[in-house]
Amino acid sequence: MLRLNLFLLVVLVASSLYLVRVQYESRHLYAEIERAQNEFRKLEVEHERLQVEKRAQATPGRVEKVARDQLQMRPATPAITQYVTLKGTP
């Protein structure tokens, strides 16, 4: 009877230690999930901000201003337009 009680005590202690370990791992994984979700939300906000900035940068007025000021381009006029024709076509 004493052996059975000792065996049951060892099994009880081992299962208790296993339960504590599993609960610790569970809490650790839950904390990692929360961190990952927070990071995902931050990245979503950053992505949306960048999309808005991209749309603002691509407006026709801004593109024209950059072309004029930084690239020193000018609108095409008939006076500076050169027409290329293929040989054999009028």
Side-chain angles (χ1 to χ4, degrees):
M1 190 69 171
L2 181 63
R3 282 186 176 171
L4 179 62
N5 285 343
L6 284 175
F7 175 72
L8 291 175
L9 178 64
V10 169
V11 169
L12 177 67
V13 169
S15 67
S16 297
L17 290 174
Y18 180 73
L19 178 64
V20 168
R21 180 173 164 252
V22 167
Q23 285 180 337
Y24 172 79
E25 286 179 8
S26 174
R27 288 184 185 130
H28 179 72
L29 290 174
Y30 182 76
E32 277 195 41
I33 288 172
E34 286 294 316
R35 276 193 295 274
Q37 287 175 339
N38 286 338
E39 183 68 20
F40 175 74
R41 282 191 283 278
K42 287 178 188 175
L43 289 174
E44 261 188 332
V45 168
E46 178 72 9
H47 180 261
E48 187 60 33
R49 185 188 67 76
L50 290 173
Q51 290 293 327
V52 168
E53 187 176 322
K54 178 182 163 185
R55 285 191 295 271
Q57 295 287 326
T59 59
R62 184 177 184 292
V63 171
E64 184 179 343
K65 183 178 184 308
V66 168
R68 233 181 309 106
D69 297 344
Q70 293 179 3
L71 302 176
Q72 298 171 355
M73 297 174 82
R74 59 180 187 226
T77 62
I80 62 171
T81 304
Q82 293 181 1
Y83 296 96
V84 178
T85 59
L86 294 174
K87 286 186 178 180
T89 56

